[in-house]
């Protein structure tokens, strides 16, 4: 029997995986919200599916591995792998049901606006003719039917690919009871659009048919002499985590390429099948994948993999009323004052807020450095880079011009490994010095350093950010970046790069706080200082904006601060293991999550410090992996004006009454709309012409 103390220990925290499911539910709410434009609803629904894929292939896969190994120790939230998996699958099953209910509602609403997704039978004769032509001329030549029998073993089934399970009988056995059944699979080509557009009719704007539906309609063309009696789609999710032995790897790039090939054979984690799949087909799949019935998801009311819906807004060009209005980011006003970005940064720090302010300023920072004959060296960390990066092209030119270019490129950025390997090879070919970080650690810091020869000597120019150097995601994610020529920050950045690229051990730095060496200690110091100030009756407050909060030590320090009377406002987009509002534990803590048009991605921190506020930006979340297993950086925002800008951003989020959901003691989230004027932080941010006005302190 559990003691009261044990029960209290269990209920102090919310489980990370269950909290993640609640986060994805909040994303689903955006697809269900009547005020979300229809094509944006499709995008949000697609995001929930992609999110769930990653959750299954990484987090659930890890728990299944623990369970299979016999591991039964409980985590700090009170769950052992087996009991947690039972709860995850139960909640996930309910979530999938909600997804497909939302899909049905969405298709009905789209149809009212002339956008229809059809079965083949619903197409007109003209549309069927066009679909048939597309199948025979484009699709059929690339299809490969794969029979499975004693001489032809089960083919490799790629993770997250769409396949058709086909049950057949010989033509001469058609209609014969107990005729021998034959089984085959057909892969739906992944390099074709899942949504096949067919000619519109009447006033309709766009008509589509799913690619697998088109193949199903013509399945007999692949099996001459056999009669298909059942054709149903299935989809397998495999364990996609990399298992690297970095210590033993002579060439990390080569080792990761090997592991990526192995990923195709990862342990099966989840099997999705269309409702009504033939029992013989299901039996074959379960036997081949050695998967339990608990991990089989029968999908009713829509296609497998709703992730393809994220592309729907791009497929509908005309009806812009069904999308969010286009917003053109403004170029930072400070950089319009001088011809050279370096002239501006030398005089003052500049804080920019994406996507409301343009990422082009970051590109221009590197482009100008590449072209400037006074620039001697460029150093940068890259984690996820866009497919056609202006910034990378500038780095290549800089190397070709003879500048020293050092690129710390993280090869282990999950699901971007192949792209980063390609970038690494291309940058090395251009003459850049490419390093892959420290053994056992991911380099997640976002830092650029430019070393420039000037009249009074060498000067270091810096950019430190919360988000990746990716011009595409910078249009979709909210992030903050600081440009500075602060000599202490520049000196610290040099030490950081020397540690990553050489054998230098990181000393205690002047201003930058790196992980895994000092960041956890510094956050502890800052929180404990607020706790002590509150105990002494001094002004004390903490505002923190992160993507996730799951580190037990940080949570316990926040609980202690709350008990001392510190007012703590947390803005946590995703996972939050802290339980707010518990009397005697966390009654002074609020937690809100904002899910809206843009993905909230910035990590920002404010500490009252007895009336002398300190503000920080960081690449790190309050997660154990960020604080102990990654190279991260937190950077102080020292200038009064830029610090006020950061505080203004935080206050904007705290005022949100439309898209903010508040975390309750029981782990659920509810909207707490104000009776006053509705305030939507992202929409209000768009209206702000200048973020740089001095802030009147309240």
């Amino acid at each position: 029997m559990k003691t009261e103390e044990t029960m209290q220990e269990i209920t102090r925290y919310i489980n990370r995986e269950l909290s993640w499911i609640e986060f994805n539910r909040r994303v689903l709410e955006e697809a269900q919200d009547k005020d979300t434009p229809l094509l944006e609803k499709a995008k949000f629904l697609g995001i929930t599916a992609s999110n769930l894929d990653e959750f299954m292939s990484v987090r659930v896969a890890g728990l299944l591995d623990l369970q299979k190994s016999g591991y039964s120790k409980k985590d700090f939230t009170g769950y052992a792998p087996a009991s947690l998996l039972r709860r995850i699958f139960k909640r996930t099953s309910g979530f999938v049901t909600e997804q497909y209910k939302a899909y049905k509602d969405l298709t009905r609403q789209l149809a009212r606006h002339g956008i229809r997704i059809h079965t083949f039978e619903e197409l007109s004769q003209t549309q069927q003719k066009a679909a048939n032509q597309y199948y025979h001329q484009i699709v059929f030549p690339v299809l490969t039917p794969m029979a499975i029998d004693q001489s032809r073993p089960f083919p490799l089934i790629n993770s997250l690919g769409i396949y058709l399970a086909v049950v057949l009988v010989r033509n001469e056995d058609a209609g014969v009871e107990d005729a021998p059944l034959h089984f085959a699979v057909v892969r739906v080509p992944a390099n074709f659009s899942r949504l096949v557009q067919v000619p519109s009719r009447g006033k309709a704007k766009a008509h589509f048919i799913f690619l697998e539906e088109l193949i199903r309609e013509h399945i007999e063309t692949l099996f001459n002499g056999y009669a298909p009696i059942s054709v149903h789609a299935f989809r397998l999710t495999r364990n996609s985590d990399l298992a690297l032995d970095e210590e033993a790897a002579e060439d990390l790039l080569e080792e990761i390429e090997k592991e990526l090939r192995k990923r195709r054979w990862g342990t099966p984690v989840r099997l999705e099948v269309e409702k009504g799949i033939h029992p013989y087909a299901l039996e074959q799949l379960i036997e081949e994948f050695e998967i339990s019935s608990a991990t089989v998801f029968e999908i009713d009311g829509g296609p497998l993999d709703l992730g393809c819906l994220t592309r729907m807004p791009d497929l509908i060009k005309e009806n812009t009323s069904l999308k969010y209005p286009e917003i053109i980011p403004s170029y930072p006003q400070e950089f319009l004052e001088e011809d050279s970005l370096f002239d501006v940064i030398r005089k003052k720090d500049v804080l920019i807020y994406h996507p409301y302010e343009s990422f082009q300023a970051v590109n221009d920072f590197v482009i100008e450095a590449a072209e400037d004959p006074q620039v001697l060296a460029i150093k940068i960390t890259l984690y996820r880079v866009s497919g056609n990066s202006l910034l990378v092209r500038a780095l290549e030119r800089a190397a070709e011009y003879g500048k020293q270019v050092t690129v710390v490129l993280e090869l282990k950025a999950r699901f971007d490994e192949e792209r980063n390997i390609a970038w690494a090879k291309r940058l090395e070919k251009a003459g850049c010095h490419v390093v892959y970080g420290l053994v056992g650690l991911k380099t997640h810091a976002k830092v650029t350093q430019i070393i420039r020869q000037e009249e009074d000597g060498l000067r270091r120019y810096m950019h430190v950010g919360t988000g990746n150097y990716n011009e595409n995601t910078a249009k979709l994610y909210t992030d903050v970046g600081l440009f500075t020529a602060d000599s202490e920050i520049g000196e610290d950045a040099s030490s950081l790069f020397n540690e990553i690229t050489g054998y230098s051990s990181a000393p205690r730095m002047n201003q930058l706080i790196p992980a895994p060496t000092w960041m956890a200690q510094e956050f502890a110091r800052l929180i404990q200082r607020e706790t002590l100030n509150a105990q002494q009756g001094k002004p004390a407050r903490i505002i923190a904006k992160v993507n996730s909060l799951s580190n037990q030590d940080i949570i316990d320090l926040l609980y202690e601060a709350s008990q001392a009377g510190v007012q703590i406002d947390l803005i946590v987009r995703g996972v939050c293991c802290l339980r707010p509002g518990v009397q005697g534990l966390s009654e002074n803590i609020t937690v809100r999550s904002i899910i809206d048009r843009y993905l909230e991605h910035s990590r920002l921190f404010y500490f009252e410090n007895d009336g002398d506020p300190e503000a920080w930006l960081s690449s790190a979340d309050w997660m154990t992996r960020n604080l102990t297993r990654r190279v991260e950086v937190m950077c102080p925002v020292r200038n009064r004006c830029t610090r006020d800008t950061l505080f203004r951003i935080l206050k904007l989020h705290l005022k949100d009454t439309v898209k903010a959901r508040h975390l309750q003691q029981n782990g659920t989230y509810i909207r707490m709309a104000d009776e006053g004027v509705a305030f939507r932080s992202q929409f209000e941010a768009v209206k702000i012409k200048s973020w740089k006005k001095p802030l009147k302190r309240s």
Side-chain angles (χ1 to χ4, degrees):
M1 183 176 175
K2 294 183 174 71
T3 64
E4 182 179 350
E5 181 181 351
T6 306
M7 287 297 294
Q8 288 175 349
E9 199 62 33
I10 290 173
T11 57
R12 280 171 65 91
Y13 312 101
I14 298 168
N15 179 266
R16 171 179 170 168
E17 324 306 338
L18 301 182
S19 179
W20 184 91
I21 293 172
E22 285 298 315
F23 156 65
N24 211 27
R25 195 178 301 279
R26 296 194 294 281
V27 180
L28 181 59
E29 285 178 8
E30 291 301 298
Q32 298 166 322
D33 192 322
K34 62 180 176 59
D35 294 326
T36 303
L38 272 183
L39 291 175
E40 304 295 343
K41 286 186 177 188
K43 183 187 72 175
F44 279 115
L45 189 53
I47 290 171
T48 68
S50 300
N51 285 348
L52 190 57
D53 286 346
E54 183 172 347
F55 178 68
M56 285 288 177
S57 63
V58 178
R59 300 300 305 176
V60 173
L63 287 168
L64 286 169
D65 284 346
L66 287 175
Q67 183 186 44
K68 288 175 184 175
S69 69
Y71 186 87
S72 59
K73 185 178 178 181
K74 293 180 178 179
D75 63 18
F76 76 93
T77 67
Y79 282 94
S83 60
L84 181 54
L85 282 167
R86 284 194 297 272
R87 182 157 289 196
I88 286 172
F89 284 123
K90 182 178 180 180
R91 290 199 185 181
T92 304
S93 178
F95 178 80
V96 171
T97 299
E98 285 187 50
Q99 276 184 310
Y100 281 89
K101 181 181 177 184
Y103 174 76
K104 290 177 183 177
D105 290 341
L106 174 66
T107 53
R108 282 195 292 267
Q109 293 175 59
L110 287 171
R112 289 198 287 270
H113 289 269
I115 301 168
R116 297 178 181 274
I117 300 176
H118 294 285
T119 63
F120 190 85
E121 291 76 16
E122 293 170 342
L123 298 177
S124 68
Q125 287 187 348
T126 301
Q127 290 171 326
Q128 287 186 358
K129 183 178 179 181
N132 290 339
Q133 187 176 16
Y134 178 76
Y135 173 80
H136 289 291
Q137 293 182 358
I138 306 296
V139 180
F140 176 75
V142 305
L143 297 178
T144 303
M146 294 173 283
I148 298 161
D149 54 30
Q150 289 180 333
S151 64
R152 290 171 288 194
F154 218 100
L156 171 66
I157 301 299
N158 288 329
S159 185
L160 303 179
I162 303 288
Y163 292 80
L164 295 177
V166 187
V167 179
L168 312 105
V169 296
R170 292 183 182 276
N171 279 345
E172 56 267 28
D173 293 332
V176 176
E177 192 174 349
D178 296 329
L181 299 178
H182 302 272
F183 184 59
V185 298
V186 178
R187 183 173 186 183
V188 177
N191 51 350
F192 290 180
S193 173
R194 282 275 308 287
L195 285 165
V196 178
Q197 192 158 2
V198 295
S200 299
R201 62 189 188 213
K203 296 181 179 180
K205 295 178 176 63
H207 284 215
F208 299 94
I209 182 173
F210 277 103
L211 181 56
E212 60 267 31
E213 172 73 10
L214 183 59
I215 297 171
R216 189 199 326 259
E217 180 62 26
H218 296 84
I219 199 70
E220 73 284 347
T221 63
L222 300 172
F223 299 100
N224 290 327
Y226 287 79
I229 61 172
S230 171
V231 185
H232 288 84
F234 72 93
R235 184 169 180 258
L236 183 68
T237 305
R238 295 183 181 274
N239 186 330
S240 296
D241 227 3
L242 297 181
L244 285 171
D245 182 1
E246 294 184 49
E247 296 280 358
E250 293 183 13
D251 186 325
L252 185 59
L253 186 147
E254 185 179 323
E255 190 67 23
I256 289 176
E257 287 181 316
K258 290 179 184 176
E259 286 298 317
L260 288 174
R261 289 192 288 271
K262 288 182 187 177
R263 183 182 272 175
R264 293 179 298 174
W265 296 96
T267 307
V269 174
R270 171 186 62 166
L271 176 63
E272 298 167 276
V273 298
E274 276 187 309
K275 185 176 177 62
I277 188 170
H278 195 286
Y280 180 69
L282 184 58
E283 177 187 339
Q284 295 290 314
L285 296 174
I286 290 176
E287 181 179 338
E288 171 62 24
F289 302 140
E290 298 179 351
I291 203 163
S292 73
S293 58
T295 58
V296 177
F297 287 76
E298 190 176 62
I299 303 302
D300 183 18
L304 304 189
D305 183 20
L306 295 173
C308 63
L309 296 176
T310 56
R311 291 197 62 245
M312 185 170 272
D314 299 326
L315 297 174
I316 311 296
K317 304 295 184 184
E318 300 82 10
N319 203 332
T320 56
S321 66
L322 302 183
K323 307 177 188 179
Y324 286 126
E326 184 180 5
I327 294 171
I328 307 299
S330 62
Y331 200 82
Q333 184 65 37
E334 296 91 333
F335 292 139
L336 299 175
E337 298 169 0
E338 304 274 359
D339 291 335
S340 168
L341 272 69
F342 297 128
D343 291 343
V344 175
I345 300 167
R346 187 167 54 249
K347 295 174 185 176
K348 60 184 177 182
D349 290 355
V350 178
L351 193 81
I352 59 175
Y353 187 21
H354 309 300
Y356 313 106
E357 293 179 292
S358 175
F359 186 80
Q360 187 57 41
V362 181
N363 284 338
D364 288 345
F365 182 57
V366 180
I367 290 169
E368 184 177 340
E371 306 288 342
D372 187 341
Q374 291 179 252
V375 169
L376 305 178
I378 303 172
K379 302 179 182 182
I380 190 169
T381 60
L382 296 180
Y383 191 74
R384 300 189 195 275
V385 187
S386 61
N388 187 28
S389 174
L390 295 174
L391 189 147
V392 170
R393 294 211 296 271
L395 293 172
E396 291 174 318
R397 283 202 308 279
E400 290 162 0
Y401 292 158
K403 303 181 193 300
Q404 293 278 91
V405 179
T406 302
V407 181
V408 180
L409 200 155
E410 181 49 70
L411 296 180
K412 302 183 295 295
R414 185 177 288 133
F415 303 121
D416 272 350
E417 299 96 343
E418 292 182 73
R419 176 180 289 177
N420 283 3
I421 286 171
W423 281 125
K425 292 177 178 178
R426 178 172 160 176
L427 287 164
E428 285 178 334
K429 187 176 180 180
C432 301
H433 177 51
V434 181
V435 295
Y436 308 132
L438 298 169
V439 172
L441 301 173
K442 282 187 179 181
T443 301
H444 192 247
K446 327 295 183 185
V447 183
T448 303
Q449 183 177 56
I450 311 293
I451 294 94
R452 191 170 187 261
Q453 179 68 59
E454 299 184 353
E455 290 182 4
D456 54 350
L458 288 179
R459 192 182 301 272
R460 300 177 178 100
Y461 292 87
M462 303 292 306
H463 175 270
V464 184
T466 67
N468 297 313
Y469 289 115
N470 186 314
E471 57 210 64
N472 291 335
T473 57
K475 299 172 185 175
L476 306 171
Y477 295 8
T478 69
D479 274 302
V480 172
L482 176 71
F483 292 95
T484 182
D486 186 301
S487 59
E488 291 187 320
I489 292 177
E491 185 180 325
D492 289 348
S494 293
S495 296
L496 178 72
F497 279 107
N498 288 344
E499 181 188 9
I500 296 172
T501 63
Y503 287 113
S504 174
S505 60
R508 183 75 190 212
M509 297 184 181
N510 301 301
Q511 297 297 330
L512 293 183
I513 308 295
T517 46
W518 302 107
M519 191 180 292
Q521 294 170 246
E522 184 64 13
F523 274 129
R525 184 189 72 81
L526 292 167
I527 296 169
Q528 288 169 335
R529 185 185 64 190
E530 297 300 313
T531 302
L532 182 61
N533 285 342
Q535 290 169 341
Q536 296 176 352
K538 299 176 181 178
R541 190 182 185 191
I542 297 170
I543 309 174
K545 182 178 183 296
V546 293
N547 297 327
S548 297
L549 168 55
S550 61
N551 179 267
Q552 185 181 6
D553 292 337
I554 293 286
I555 293 171
D556 287 342
L557 288 169
L558 293 171
Y559 283 156
E560 291 174 14
S562 172
Q563 291 167 46
V566 180
Q567 177 59 45
I568 302 170
D569 294 300
L570 305 177
I571 306 157
V572 186
R573 184 196 77 219
V575 168
C576 183
C577 297
L578 179 146
R579 200 180 291 277
V582 178
Q583 193 65 32
L585 179 69
S586 57
E587 66 265 41
N588 291 314
I589 304 177
T590 67
V591 179
R592 69 201 71 203
S593 170
I594 295 174
I595 308 291
D596 202 346
R597 172 179 185 167
Y598 300 121
L599 181 79
E600 291 293 339
H601 192 253
S602 55
R603 293 92 167 186
L604 309 174
F605 306 92
Y606 174 92
F607 299 91
E608 182 61 34
N609 189 30
D610 187 21
D612 184 18
E614 289 185 2
W616 302 77
L617 60 84
S618 180
S619 59
D621 288 309
W622 276 346
M623 303 178 74
T624 301
R625 72 181 188 192
N626 296 92
L627 300 176
T628 64
R629 301 194 299 275
R630 290 187 172 186
V631 177
E632 305 273 13
V633 163
M634 59 184 287
C635 177
V637 181
R638 304 174 73 189
N639 173 273
R640 169 68 187 268
C641 183
T642 51
R643 190 183 66 220
D644 283 353
T645 300
L646 187 144
F647 189 35
R648 179 179 286 109
I649 293 169
L650 290 172
K651 288 182 71 175
L652 196 71
H653 288 85
L654 294 177
K655 290 172 64 178
D656 196 303
T657 60
V658 177
K659 292 298 183 180
R661 284 87 162 175
H662 293 244
L663 176 58
Q664 306 301 294
Q665 291 183 27
N666 63 1
T668 62
Y669 287 75
I670 63 171
R671 300 194 197 208
M672 300 184 68
D674 217 326
E675 292 183 1
V677 177
F679 190 91
R680 189 170 178 176
S681 57
Q682 290 191 0
F683 280 28
E684 294 300 321
V686 172
K687 299 176 186 177
I688 295 176
K689 302 301 180 185
S690 174
W691 290 91
K692 313 307 189 306
K693 296 177 182 177
L695 184 71
K696 294 181 180 178
R697 289 188 54 75
S698 54

